[in-house]
Structures are given as C-alpha cells and as structure tokens.
Amino acid sequence: MRHLIPSLAALALIASPAAAQLRPLVAPPESAAKASSDGVDVFVVNEGPEAAPVTAPETIDTIAKDGTALTLELIRSTADTAPVPPGGFAKLRYRLAPIRVDMPQVATATPRAPRPEEPGETQVADSHGLASGFLGRFRPYEPTYVAIGSGQENTKAQFSFAMRPFGGTGALSYLNVAYTHTFFWAFNRASAPITTTIYSPEVFIDVPVGEQVNVAFGYRHSSNGGGPRDSVDANRLYLRVNKAFDLGRGWRLDVAPQGWVFFGTRGVATDLDRFWGNAGITASIAKRDGLKLQVYGRGDPTSGRGAAELFLSYPLQRIGGDVGLYLFGQAFTGYGETLPRYNQQATTARIGIALTR
C-alpha cells in the first residue's frame, strides 16, 4: 500500500473549488533531495469548456516516491503563461519549501520583490566521493557553451555562474559574486592550441525595485592573464538596469541598458575605451522551454567603434529525448571579441551546444 501512495498523489486533486476548470496534478519526485535539487513538475489541466487563466496553489503537500512527506512552493515565474485552452495543460514548477521559523513582522518603507529561498546544503555522492555545496544559491549568469565555426580561433567556449553568498532579507542578501571564463581554441590548427583566455571576476549588488525591474551596481575585471609586455586589463564600475515585459503566451522581453567607467591601469590597451566604449545594451526575447534570441551591443559614438554579439538557443529536449542541453548559435561583429586584439575588427559565426543560456 505504501508504494501506491506516490502514484495516487500524482493523480490527486490538490486544491481547487468545485466549479474550477483547472486541476493541478503532481509528478512526485523520487525523494526530498531530488525535489530540492531538481524541482517538481506540476501539470495544471483545463477540464472546462473554455480557456482559463493559469491559477495554482502557492504551496502543495505531496509525498515523494520514497514515502517522504513534502511541502512544495510555487516558482511564481513559471505561472506567467498564456491561458490554458480547453483540454490542454500548463506545466508549472515547484521547489521544496524551506523550513521556516516564524518571526515578528517588521513594516518596511518600500515593498520588496519576492526573493526565492535557498534550500540548505546539497550533497552528491559518486565515484569521486561526497561533494557538498549550497547549490540553491548558484545560478546561470552569462551563457555557458562551446561553439565551433569561423575566425582565427574557430572554437569559442565559455563558463559563467553567479551566486548569492548571503540569504535572508537584509542588505547583504543583495550582494552577488560572479565569474565568467572565456577561451578561444584554434581547433583548425596543428595541435589545436588554446590561443586566448579571458578571466572575468565580478561583484555587484542587484536590487529588485518592482515586479519586473532590477537595478545593479558593480565592479568587473577582465584580463587576458598576460605579463607586463602583453597584459590587457579592463577594470570597470558599472550601473545596469533590466526591465522585463510580458508579451503573452509565455513570451518575455528583457531590455538591459548598462553604462560603465574605466579605472586603474589597462596594461598595453591604453585606448581600450575607444573600442569598447562606455555603454552597452542587451535585449532578449525568450519563451520558457522554447526559443531564445539575445543581442548585445556596445560602443563609443565619438570613435564610431563598437561591437555586437548575438546568441540563439533552443532546448534539445524539444527536438527529442530527455536532454538537458541547448542547440546554440553565436555570432560576433566589431572590435574586441578577444582582449589581445581589442583594436582589430572581426566577424565570426559559430554553432554548438550550451549548458545554460
């Protein structure tokens, strides 16, 4: 009987008025650990004769396949989808609700956008042994990918992440650290050397100022890791604002203008600002589990120099199979794709695979 409970829970009515058209169904996770690390799918089925806007309970009590009782909480962004047609369904995501301790409520002068709560330490055991981390605090930042195509270094790879060291709702909870590692691989040459590497650590404060607006102020260092004779360094203080727009039917537009000032030494690139400029903008249009198109541009209007980069991605899972990767395209035109050749113009196009986008 115990083994039947998870299956019955997957088909049980969770919370819905008698006249409601939508019925949520839970796909029970293997365990609490899986719910914490992977999240839980909940399918909202429209059993009525008309299209209905997506509604779902904020929390759901269910049972994992191993018999553990769980409380799940809705990831609100996943409920921002188009109305569900008659006989159709929407897939929402829930996370394992953290254990909460009731504290006295203190009124604040300005409203604060809801911030996801991170679960505790995640432990993973494999042939390497036991590894642990507060994985709920990490998130994708810039795209992580490998792509091959044209150019002197025909392969470009990048790894990028950001994390929030401090939880809670205090001032430190807005602090973020990030790291982006980009390298260029001349796969078309003998011995396939890695010709250029860009190291970019970053620290910034990211504050939600509304439901769909975030403001960030931070410091970013970019370097090719060279010595006194060939080092190219970019130290920047920047201000960035991101505004999101709901386009309906699950589509979202993000627009993020950014400005920065250089400071400190720049190695041999004393005129770097004439090729990179002091401002840029990123725009992306995306649908969850669907296509994403992102364009980034930067430049200096006084010198007429700058650059633009395009990213296009699509989940391989939509093509077939349970594959957690993206088909990925990347193109660049302008100055400064690589730091050593910051003052040389180039146009490249590549296609590959991305882990995040």
Side-chain angles (χ1 to χ4, degrees), residues 124-162:
V124 179
D126 58 18
S127 60
H128 185 69
L130 181 66
S132 305
F134 291 93
L135 301 186
R137 298 183 184 273
F138 284 81
R139 67 183 187 277
Y141 192 50
E142 296 183 4
T144 293
Y145 65 92
V146 177
I148 186 170
S150 61
Q152 295 187 53
E153 296 96 350
N154 66 332
T155 300
K156 183 177 182 179
Q158 181 169 279
F159 169 77
S160 182
F161 72 89

Side-chain angles (χ1 to χ4, degrees), residues 230-303:
D230 61 354
S231 176
V232 177
D233 304 296
N235 293 287
R236 292 177 288 168
L237 294 175
Y238 65 81
L239 178 67
R240 178 174 62 230
V241 179
N242 186 86
K243 169 65 176 174
F245 301 88
D246 181 7
L247 303 181
R249 303 188 66 83
W251 287 94
R252 167 179 167 138
L253 171 67
D254 283 82
V255 179
Q258 177 177 332
W260 59 82
V261 292
F262 292 92
F263 70 95
T265 61
R266 305 178 195 174
V268 299
T270 56
D271 58 346
L272 181 63
D273 55 321
R274 291 186 54 78
F275 297 90
W276 273 22
N278 291 91
I281 187 169
T282 302
S284 68
I285 182 170
K287 184 175 185 180
R288 180 181 172 87
D289 295 324
L291 188 70
K292 179 178 182 180
L293 173 66
Q294 178 174 308
V295 179
Y296 169 68
R298 56 169 167 78
D300 179 3
T302 62
S303 68

Side-chain angles (χ1 to χ4, degrees), residues 320-336:
D322 188 8
V323 182
L325 301 170
Y326 301 93
L327 182 63
F328 189 82
Q330 177 265 339
F332 179 94
T333 185
Y335 293 87

Side-chain angles (χ1 to χ4, degrees), residues 178-223:
Y179 179 72
T180 302
H181 187 100
T182 309
F183 67 90
F184 295 82
W185 190 5
F187 198 73
N188 52 346
R189 300 186 198 173
S191 77
I194 293 176
T195 57
T196 303
T197 301
I198 303 173
Y199 310 90
S200 297
E202 189 172 348
V203 58
F204 59 98
I205 296 171
D206 196 298
V207 182
V209 295
E211 285 294 327
Q212 295 183 306
V213 179
N214 277 61
V215 177
F217 173 75
Y219 160 70
R220 179 163 179 157
H221 169 81
S222 296
S223 171

Side-chain angles (χ1 to χ4, degrees), residues 15 55-60 71-76 79 94-95 97:
T55 58
E58 292 294 326
T59 61
I60 289 177
T71 297
L72 310 175
E73 64 179 7
L74 176 66
I75 301 175
R76 289 298 315 167
Y94 281 69
R95 62 166 63 88

